[in-house]
Amino acid sequence: MSAAAERVPEAAAAAPRCRFCSAPLSEVFVDLGMSPLCESFLPADALNRMEPFYPLLVWVCGRCFLVQLQEYVSPAEIFTEYAYFSSYSTSWLKHARDYTDMAASRFGLGAGSRVVEIASNDGYLLQYFVEKGVPVLGIEPAANVAKAAVERGVPTVVRFFGRETAGDVVREHGPADLIVGNNVLAHVPALNDFVEGMQILLAPGGVITMEFPHLLRLMQETQFDTIYHEHYSYLSLLAVEQVFGAHGLRLFDVEELRSHGGSLRIYGCHAGGPHETTERIGDLREREDAAGLKELETYTSFGERVRALKREVLAFLLDAREAGKTVVGYGAAAKGVTLVNYCGIRQDLVEYVADLSEHKQGLYMPGSRIPVYSPDRIAETAPDYLLILAWNLKDEIMAQMAHVRELGTGFVTPVPHIQVHE
Ligand SMILES: [Zn+2]
C-alpha cells in the first residue's frame, strides 16, 4: 500500500476523536473522497448551480475499533424533513409484521405493556402492535413522516432521541418494556447520549432490539457503497457490546438477517436484567474474532480492496465503451450515489439510471448528474448491460426486468466483484 494513497487530509487530521471512547482518530478505514449528500437529487433547473460536497473519510478507532465517519453534516440537516416513507416498501412491511409477531410472543407483550420505537418513521412497524392492542409510542424527528404515523393511529413524539427525550418520555408515559430501533443506531452521531437514553427509558425487565448493517459483511463483501453521510457508524457486535456495556446494558441475543446486505438484530437488557445470554452471542463473538475484528490491520487493509474494486468497475465500463456497448444503471438509491461518485462515473459511461420511485424520475443523480428515468425506458432503449446499483435487491430486480434479457441486455452487479449474470 502506498503512503500517498492513505495520506490523511490535514484539516480532518487536526481534531477528530472517537464518538464512543474519545481516543484520537488516526487510522483510516477507507477514504472515498468528496461526495454529495445521497438524497440530494437535482431538478433540471438546478443543473447550473454548484452542489455541496463533503468528505467520505471513514476512520477506525485504534482503541475500541468503532468504524466511523465524522459528523460532517448534522442530523438536523438530513433527518428533519425526510423523504423516505417506510410503508412504501412491501418487503419491509412484511419484515416489520413478522418481527412484531415474534416480539409479542417471545416477550409476552399485551395491553399492560408499552413499546417505544425510536425513529418510528411513518408508523409502519408500530401499527402492528396497535393491532394487537399493545400501547405504543413513536419517536421520530421528521415531522412530515411523523404526521403520517399519527394519521394511522400511532402516537408519535417529533424529536431526536437521547438522554433528554428519554427523561421526558419516562415522566409523561412511563418506562418501555420494549424499545425498538431499526436502522437508527448507525445514524446517530451522539452515540453515548443515545444509548444512555435507552438505559433511562428501559423498564427493569425490559428488552431493547436494534437492527443495523453488520460491519463484518461490509468488509467481507467489500460493500463500500453502503458508506454515506447518513451512516455515522459502521457497527460490529464487538463495538456495540462495548458501547452498551459502558451504559449499564448487556446484549443477550443476536440474529443475523439478510436485510441491507447482511444485518444484525441485537437484543439488549439492563446489565442485571433477567434475560439469559444465548449461545448465538458467543458464536458470533468468536466469528468476529476469527475474522480479525480485534486487529487494526484487518481494518486498515480494507481501503486497498475498495480501490481495487473501483479499478475493476471502471475497467468493465471502459471496455464496454471501447467495444461500442451501452450501459445503464438500475437503482437511484444511496448506494448508487456513493458508487458512481467514488468511481468518477459520468453519463459517458452510464447513460442513465432507472428507478421505480416516481419522486426521483426526471431528476439527476447528485454529483454525477446522470439522469433518472422510469424502468420502462430500459425496454425502449435495449442497452447491452444493466448495471444493478441496488445489488441488495438484485433477485427482485432481475425477476422484474426478465423481459429485457430477451432484447439482449446482460445483468451486471458491481459488489463484491463485477459479475455479469448469464
Ligand atoms: Zn473508540
Side-chain angles (χ1 to χ4, degrees):
M1 187 184 316
S2 80
E6 288 292 16
R7 195 173 54 218
V8 172
E10 277 173 37
R17 286 184 173 270
C18 174
R19 68 167 43 95
F20 165 54
C21 78
S22 300
L25 296 172
S26 59
E27 303 291 342
V28 173
F29 179 65
V30 65
D31 184 357
L32 300 178
M34 298 292 288
S35 207
L37 296 184
C38 62
E39 292 296 333
S40 315
F41 285 76
L42 303 161
D45 64 9
L47 293 178
N48 284 347
R49 293 204 288 270
M50 63 180 182
E51 289 170 71
F53 276 57
Y54 302 90
L56 265 183
L57 173 59
V58 188
W59 303 94
V60 56
C61 175
R63 188 194 287 166
C64 73
F65 300 118
L66 180 66
V67 172
Q68 55 199 294
L69 269 182
Q70 278 179 268
E71 188 183 340
Y72 298 110
V73 190
S74 78
E77 273 175 84
I78 298 176
F79 297 114
T80 40
E81 181 76 24
Y82 205 44
Y84 187 77
F85 286 74
S86 298
S87 293
Y88 285 165
S89 165
T90 46
S91 57
W92 193 240
L93 282 177
K94 184 180 181 305
H95 181 81
R97 183 188 278 277
D98 292 347
Y99 166 81
T100 54
D101 289 345
M102 178 283 294
S105 97
R106 180 169 175 184
F107 302 116
L109 302 171
S113 318
R114 176 169 303 281
V115 177
V116 176
E117 187 183 13
I118 305 171
S120 49
N121 199 271
D122 57 7
Y124 73 101
L125 186 145
L126 288 179
Q127 65 180 340
Y128 299 122
F129 282 117
V130 172
E131 279 177 14
K132 295 177 198 298
V134 181
V136 302
L137 181 70
I139 301 173
E140 167 58 52
N144 60 330
V145 290
K147 186 163 167 281
V150 171
E151 281 164 6
R152 61 157 56 99
V154 174
T156 303
V157 178
V158 181
R159 279 179 81 170
F160 281 100
F161 184 78
R163 258 183 293 238
E164 212 181 293
T165 301
D168 291 348
V169 168
V170 170
R171 268 190 297 282
E172 285 167 37
H173 304 271
D177 300 293
L178 175 65
I179 299 175
V180 188
N182 291 341
N183 298 307
V184 61
L185 196 59
H187 294 63
V188 176
L191 189 58
N192 285 313
D193 183 62
F194 184 92
V195 176
E196 183 76 27
M198 292 200 292
Q199 198 272 340
I200 292 168
L201 178 58
L202 190 66
V207 173
I208 300 168
T209 75
M210 312 225 104
E211 294 176 22
F212 48 82
H214 191 190
L215 174 68
L216 184 63
R217 295 289 295 274
L218 186 161
M219 293 171 74
Q220 287 175 336
E221 296 171 28
T222 324
Q223 301 170 348
F224 73 90
D225 53 349
T226 60
I227 295 167
Y228 36 86
H229 295 103
E230 291 176 5
H231 279 178
Y232 296 102
S233 304
Y234 300 82
L235 301 166
S236 59
L237 182 69
L238 173 71
V240 174
E241 277 207 290
Q242 292 179 81
V243 178
F244 273 52
H247 297 284
L249 297 168
R250 168 172 65 85
L251 300 190
F252 66 90
D253 197 6
V254 62
E255 283 176 80
E256 290 171 84
L257 310 172
R258 292 186 54 187
S259 43
H260 298 285
S263 293
L264 295 185
R265 175 188 288 154
I266 50 130
Y267 294 75
C269 62
H270 286 289
H275 304 276
E276 205 171 308
T277 304
T278 67
E279 278 181 20
R280 292 194 287 202
I281 289 276
D283 288 350
L284 185 55
R285 244 186 235 143
E286 277 172 30
R287 272 189 290 131
E288 286 193 346
D289 271 8
L293 290 200
K294 285 183 176 165
E295 290 147 43
L296 194 56
E297 162 67 18
T298 310
Y299 300 89
T300 54
S301 60
F302 181 68
E304 181 46 35
R305 285 172 39 215
V306 175
R307 290 189 287 275
L309 180 53
K310 171 183 179 172
R311 295 191 294 272
E312 210 179 291
V313 170
L314 284 173
F316 169 81
L317 293 173
L318 293 168
D319 287 350
R321 177 51 74 200
E322 284 299 326
K325 311 232 177 201
T326 51
V327 182
V328 306
Y330 194 106
K335 280 186 184 61
V337 173
T338 293
L339 185 135
V340 162
N341 276 290
Y342 171 62
C343 294
I345 297 164
R346 297 295 178 267
Q347 212 184 347
D348 58 330
L349 296 180
V350 172
E351 288 188 9
Y352 62 87
V353 174
D355 197 283
L356 274 176
S357 165
E358 290 172 12
H359 302 290
K360 289 179 179 166
Q361 294 166 12
L363 300 180
Y364 294 80
M365 301 269 282
S368 66
R369 291 158 178 231
I370 296 175
V372 182
Y373 294 118
S374 155
D376 293 343
R377 194 178 177 99
I378 299 169
E380 291 160 19
T381 58
D384 294 295
Y385 294 112
L386 187 63
L387 177 64
I388 300 174
L389 298 168
W391 47 261
N392 54 318
L393 305 173
K394 71 171 190 296
D395 295 338
E396 202 174 316
I397 292 167
M398 281 161 57
Q400 175 197 319
M401 299 307 298
H403 59 286
V404 303
R405 199 167 252 180
E406 288 158 35
L407 305 172
T409 300
F411 295 150
V412 184
T413 44
V415 169
H417 289 287
I418 273 280
Q419 187 187 352
V420 179
H421 299 265
E422 301 301 343

